[in-house]
Amino acid sequence: MAEPPATDPQCGAHFHKERKKYTPEEEAKLERQHFWRIIDAFRFYRYHVQEQVKRAERQFQSLSPRHQRLLPGVPSNLGRIRQCAEHNQEVLDAIVHNSLHMFENVEYGEREDPRKARPSSTFDMDKLKSTIKQFVRDWSETGQAERDSCYKPIIQEIQRLFPSDQYDVSRVSVLIPGAGLGRLAWEIARLGYACQGNEWSFFMLFSSNFVLNRCETENELTLYPWIHQFSNNKKSSDQTRPIRFPDVNPQSLPLNTDFSMVAGDFVEVYSEPECWDCVATCFFIDTANNVLEYVDTIWKILKPGGVWINLGPLLYHFENIANELSIELSYDDIRTAMVKYGFIFEVEKESMQTTYTENSCSMLRYVYDCVFFVARKPSELQFNGQEDKEQQQNSPPAAKSSRREGSNRLT
């Protein structure tokens, strides 16, 4: 027997996430509150880890004297974790110091007592600890294998599609949404491409600003990213092992390199049509409430003939968050929608295994079986089976080879 149609208006065909409207003053106030909330998380880190250590100490002291004598190394290891947390806090304090006035076009005011550490939520502390592990992935020698599996396929495709012997690569524009700490965008810019990273998270923005603009010497700083992991350690020393960063000098880009990082929501920031030759997404598209909004935006901002390169899983970030829209589509659903937009798949691999901020010494390791594709927006767009000639005439083409065309500029 067929079920009767739903009467809940939220079950209608056009249910979508409503963005609450705020006045500019309200928007500024909310953004200022969010900014200082993240600063508070950086400053509260030491106290958060100390509480973890105190809990472990209480658990150890609850053991019988006989059992405690069997574990002579536990107290000293907990003491090392305390010391590592203090060292991590020094790095986090340096990040905060360089973040208070990092934006060119906005200031967030001053706190009455800017050095005071205010309590932070478990959610924010988990975000901060995840950000610390991003330094491993993006800017340490330890993360090289992970970068090779995630970033290298994207970079190789960009070089294949826009080879330096056929293109003036300085005029090939590449956008990296969800740029994190900026290593992928930096590597692409180092090859001479005009590359811009986009990031929404203040955790990532503060940290990328620090490493990209304040670090000048290879392996000058140390972090202890694994001290928060009390389970699945083969050796106690694994928990306190250090990583050094950055493994390269971020300031080593040539002076004329076109490289930038832009803060803000991808869908809201990028609205100008047909201005990018390539959009490259790595572990990004599952951060959307509705992934089709990302597809909309990428289709819109790519030049005719431009390409979208993607690598990543579909671990939808909002799936289990209350009061948040979350449309969890299969890859096949997304692919079908992309084809209907007009994308042409040129490269497609449905099984590329990689990790994400992996602790290589852990007894628990996650492996993502990722999808990788290169999809092109056609040079000649088709609408209802016919070329839209007017749109084609008014649209700037994707980057062409100045050398092949016998010209010193892209047409």
Side-chain angles (χ1 to χ4, degrees):
M1 179 178 177
E3 293 183 344
T7 57
D8 186 340
Q10 289 190 337
C11 294
H14 302 289
F15 169 69
H16 59 91
K17 181 183 179 183
E18 293 287 351
R19 295 182 184 272
K20 187 174 180 180
K21 301 297 183 183
Y22 296 101
T23 65
E25 293 77 14
E26 290 172 330
E27 287 278 5
K29 180 180 178 181
L30 289 170
E31 187 169 346
R32 185 166 57 251
Q33 290 172 345
H34 181 63
F35 175 90
W36 285 109
R37 195 190 90 207
I38 307 309
I39 294 290
D40 287 341
F42 275 77
R43 289 173 171 160
F44 189 68
Y45 169 83
R46 164 192 294 117
Y47 305 101
H48 174 76
V49 179
Q50 285 177 349
E51 286 302 314
Q52 286 185 294
V53 174
K54 288 178 182 177
R55 177 187 178 278
E57 288 174 335
R58 288 194 300 269
Q59 300 290 342
F60 177 77
Q61 291 164 3
S62 71
L63 298 177
S64 68
R66 182 173 66 88
H67 283 178
Q68 290 187 36
R69 288 193 295 271
L70 293 172
L71 302 168
V74 169
S76 59
N77 185 61
L78 293 175
R80 285 194 297 273
I81 292 172
R82 284 185 186 276
Q83 294 172 354
C84 294
E86 290 295 324
H87 183 88
N88 284 356
Q89 186 66 63
E90 292 176 7
V91 177
L92 297 178
D93 287 344
I95 292 173
V96 167
H97 177 74
N98 288 281
S99 300
L100 296 177
H101 306 287
M102 64 178 281
F103 297 108
E104 296 176 356
N105 58 344
V106 64
E107 288 287 338
Y108 293 100
E110 298 291 343
R111 279 286 182 82
E112 292 180 2
D113 185 357
R115 293 171 296 179
K116 181 179 179 181
R118 294 168 173 81
S120 291
S121 67
T122 300
F123 178 84
D124 283 342
M125 296 317 302
D126 286 346
K127 287 286 187 182
L128 179 58
K129 289 183 285 189
S130 176
T131 302
I132 291 173
K133 290 190 287 187
Q134 289 285 338
F135 281 94
V136 184
R137 174 180 171 87
D138 266 18
W139 294 103
S140 79
E141 293 177 359
T142 305
Q144 184 64 59
E146 194 165 289
R147 292 195 298 275
D148 285 346
S149 66
C150 293
Y151 299 166
K152 194 172 182 179
I154 293 172
I155 293 169
Q156 288 176 336
E157 281 301 317
I158 291 172
Q159 292 179 297
R160 181 185 70 82
L161 293 162
F162 305 101
S164 59
D165 62 342
Q166 298 179 21
Y167 287 78
D168 177 358
V169 296
S170 68
R171 304 189 68 177
V172 175
S173 56
V174 182
L175 175 63
I176 311 295
L181 298 197
R183 183 61 178 265
L184 175 58
W186 186 89
E187 291 286 356
I188 293 168
R190 183 166 69 161
L191 294 171
Y193 297 90
C195 191
Q196 183 171 102
N198 164 241
E199 180 57 57
W200 176 84
S201 165
F202 274 138
F203 289 103
M204 299 292 186
L205 290 166
F206 294 166
S207 301
S208 63
N209 172 66
F210 178 74
V211 73
L212 291 169
N213 296 316
R214 296 294 181 264
C215 294
E216 298 180 348
T217 305
E218 292 181 13
N219 296 320
E220 64 179 310
L221 295 170
T222 302
L223 280 170
Y224 299 89
W226 315 117
I227 60 172
H228 326 105
Q229 180 176 319
F230 284 81
S231 297
N232 289 308
N233 293 305
K234 291 181 180 177
K235 300 177 182 178
S236 297
S237 58
D238 290 342
Q239 193 175 4
T240 54
R241 73 189 191 280
I243 64 102
R244 290 176 175 83
F245 76 95
D247 64 315
V248 295
N249 177 7
Q251 306 297 319
S252 63
L253 294 178
L255 291 176
N256 62 348
T257 301
D258 188 351
F259 172 52
S260 59
M261 291 284 287
V262 172
D265 181 272
F266 170 60
V267 173
E268 295 179 1
V269 170
Y270 295 94
S271 57
E272 184 177 351
E274 299 179 350
C275 54
W276 295 93
D277 297 305
C278 175
V279 176
T281 51
C282 184
F283 277 73
F284 174 69
I285 63 173
D286 53 4
T287 65
N289 296 94
N290 173 10
V291 67
L292 294 185
E293 287 190 346
Y294 283 1
V295 180
D296 272 333
T297 301
I298 293 170
W299 175 265
K300 179 179 180 180
I301 66 178
L302 277 176
K303 298 176 183 179
V307 292
W308 175 11
I309 304 172
N310 175 75
L311 186 150
L314 293 173
L315 181 63
Y316 289 104
H317 287 209
F318 295 98
E319 180 178 358
N320 296 310
I321 298 181
N323 303 316
E324 282 282 357
L325 173 69
S326 182
I327 306 299
E328 296 101 20
L329 302 179
S330 68
Y331 171 64
D332 189 55
D333 290 333
I334 297 170
R335 190 190 192 284
T336 299
M338 288 175 62
V339 170
K340 290 181 179 178
Y341 273 86
F343 280 108
I344 298 171
F345 282 77
E346 297 185 348
V347 177
E348 187 173 25
K349 299 177 182 179
E350 293 192 13
S351 182
M352 290 187 66
Q353 293 192 346
T354 185
T355 58
Y356 192 89
T357 62
E358 179 188 52
N359 179 354
S360 60
C361 293
S362 175
M363 298 170 71
L364 175 64
R365 302 167 70 179
Y366 291 100
V367 176
Y368 291 94
D369 199 23
C370 296
V371 167
F372 177 74
F373 65 73
V374 177
R376 186 178 298 275
K377 180 178 179 178
S379 297
E380 297 179 353
L381 303 181
Q382 301 282 334
F383 295 89
N384 297 321
Q386 296 181 345
E387 286 186 13
D388 188 330
K389 295 182 179 180
E390 181 179 352
Q391 178 163 342
Q392 180 185 346
Q393 291 170 356
N394 293 333
S395 298
K400 292 192 173 72
S401 164
S402 59
R403 299 173 188 175
R404 185 191 303 157
E405 299 289 325
S407 167
N408 60 8
R409 59 170 293 180
L410 299 183
T411 56

